[in-house]
Amino acid sequence: MFKFISRISARGASPAHNLYLFQIQPFSSSLEVKSKHKSSNQYSFTVKYLINSFGFTPEKALSASKHVKFETPDKPDSVVALFKNHGFTRTQISTVIKKFPSVLVCDAKKTLLPKLQFLNSKRVSSTDVAVIVSTSPHVLKCSLKNVIIPSFDFFSNLLQSEEKAVAAIKRYSGIFWVDHQAQVTPHIQVLREANVPEANIMYLLMKQPRTFMVKIGRFREVVEEVEKMGFNHLRMSFVSAVHAVRALSKSTWDKKVEVYKKWGLTDDEFLAAFKKYPGCVKVSENKIDELMDFLVNKTGWGSSFFVRRPEVVSLSLEKRIVPRNAVYQALWSKGLITSKDIRLETLLLVSETRFLEKVLSYQEEAAPELLKLYKEKLDLAK
């Protein structure tokens, strides 16, 4: 039997440059800086530019200057202007520069602009382009002709939709530069051999492309492990479990399982909950602990409530669970409902509109009091 728990502002700056100076804190103290570095007037132009324009610390600026150097602000200013004209916020521009300082010496018009234009041509909004690039600025290193376009075409053909390819890229832009034949194609084959429906495989690729970014041997182990847990290959929960298991190291998995066990769950109960909602291992250990404490010690519902509806762990304790439970308890104490009428988990999982409709429909005269109670709990969460 499968043993589940063992699883796993610079001088000479141009007017244009000054438009992009960001407000940063001055050096912590002149004495401190002088004690660690050369005095400020001895810094290279590059170091001064990085400090004054993007908030680099002197240490970070000195380190970056080993890989990128410029004596005038012309080229870096043109790069910053390009980003700004394409909807990047100051924070996003600063993030890009900090992650990829060498972008400042790229040719804005010949090297960078075509890549931004390509993404825009694929119906990626300027806002989304800014998010993609600021999240993974190294995509700007990639050749448009030899890497970006072929990668986009590969995923468009595989997913049979440019829109779905864009969705995958927005989830993880790193797919632009992966070796598709080594990182994607064989992984898809493993899932096909496990009789996973093609539609489910493509859904996983579109929604969680990072799942495929692992060595094929490890990926095969993950799929085999999910099979041993008893997941149905034909259901979407199978690929959801593959994603969940793939996302965690063994030590992290074990720690989360132990938190659940601390609250009385057996191995079989945890496995049952995981099979219902694989995402239960993706939340933090602290959140798991807080939810189980609430269920066991503050409501008396016990750990069995989680086993029955494990998806509640994805809900906000302060903004959803506590306020709605308060309303439920009020209805119960007034004798307006019984467990046969409505279950707490139903109230927790429905939309806000449906929640209010469902609760307030029980007795019209109780509505004002219940609304007041609900609002008080929500205000506490804020």
Side-chain angles (χ1 to χ4, degrees), residues 297-353:
N297 295 328
K298 297 175 182 171
T299 66
W301 290 100
S303 59
S304 61
F305 184 99
F306 167 78
V307 177
R308 190 165 66 245
R309 298 306 293 265
E311 61 267 46
V312 297
V313 75
S314 67
L315 305 177
S316 168
L317 189 63
E318 296 81 7
K319 298 178 181 179
R320 175 75 74 95
I321 297 176
V322 171
R324 294 193 181 186
N325 176 67
V327 172
Y328 182 85
Q329 296 298 337
L331 285 167
W332 182 282
S333 66
K334 293 176 181 295
L336 299 177
I337 61 171
T338 68
S339 58
K340 293 181 179 180
D341 297 321
I342 188 171
R343 298 174 73 96
L344 174 60
E345 53 262 47
T346 301
L347 290 185
L348 294 180
L349 295 168
V350 297
S351 68
E352 183 76 0
T353 300

Side-chain angles (χ1 to χ4, degrees), residues 69-248:
K69 290 182 174 64
F70 43 87
E71 297 300 327
T72 70
D74 297 340
K75 182 166 282 190
D77 277 357
S78 67
V79 170
V80 172
L82 174 69
F83 288 141
K84 186 173 183 294
N85 291 336
H86 278 76
F88 286 63
T89 66
R90 288 186 171 189
T91 299
Q92 288 172 329
I93 295 173
S94 182
T95 298
V96 171
I97 306 307
K98 288 179 177 178
K99 290 182 178 180
F100 182 30
S102 297
V103 73
L104 290 172
V105 293
C106 290
D107 189 306
K109 291 185 178 180
K110 293 182 179 180
T111 303
L112 303 179
L113 178 59
K115 296 170 184 177
L116 302 182
Q117 290 176 328
F118 173 78
L119 291 172
N120 286 143
S121 74
K122 299 304 178 182
R123 299 180 182 177
V124 184
S125 69
S126 295
T127 299
D128 285 336
V129 170
V131 172
I132 290 171
V133 173
S134 60
T135 301
S136 299
H138 289 279
V139 68
L140 298 174
K141 282 184 176 181
C142 299
S143 166
L144 177 62
K145 179 181 179 181
N146 299 325
V147 178
I148 296 178
I149 293 177
S151 292
F152 187 85
D153 290 343
F154 173 84
F155 286 102
S156 294
N157 293 331
L158 194 59
L159 295 167
Q160 299 184 336
S161 165
E162 285 194 349
E163 184 179 357
K164 291 180 179 178
V166 169
I169 290 166
K170 287 165 65 175
R171 298 286 294 186
Y172 178 58
S173 58
I175 62 177
F176 267 133
W177 58 79
V178 300
D179 182 342
H180 307 134
Q181 297 308 314
Q183 291 293 102
V184 180
T185 303
H187 300 62
I188 289 175
Q189 186 58 34
V190 168
L191 292 171
R192 286 170 175 165
E193 291 171 358
N195 298 316
V196 177
E198 195 73 7
N200 294 2
I201 298 174
M202 294 304 113
Y203 181 85
L204 178 63
L205 181 62
M206 180 181 70
K207 291 294 186 177
Q208 301 294 346
R210 197 186 291 267
T211 303
F212 296 80
M213 305 300 116
V214 64
K215 292 182 178 180
I216 185 61
R218 170 60 183 149
F219 188 79
R220 192 181 299 276
E221 288 176 358
V222 168
V223 173
E224 291 174 351
E225 190 165 347
V226 171
E227 289 179 315
K228 291 178 181 178
M229 293 178 191
F231 279 85
N232 186 332
H233 302 78
L234 302 179
R235 298 176 70 92
M236 193 65 75
S237 59
F238 187 93
V239 293
S240 295
V242 168
H243 167 64
V245 175
R246 153 70 181 88
L248 302 179

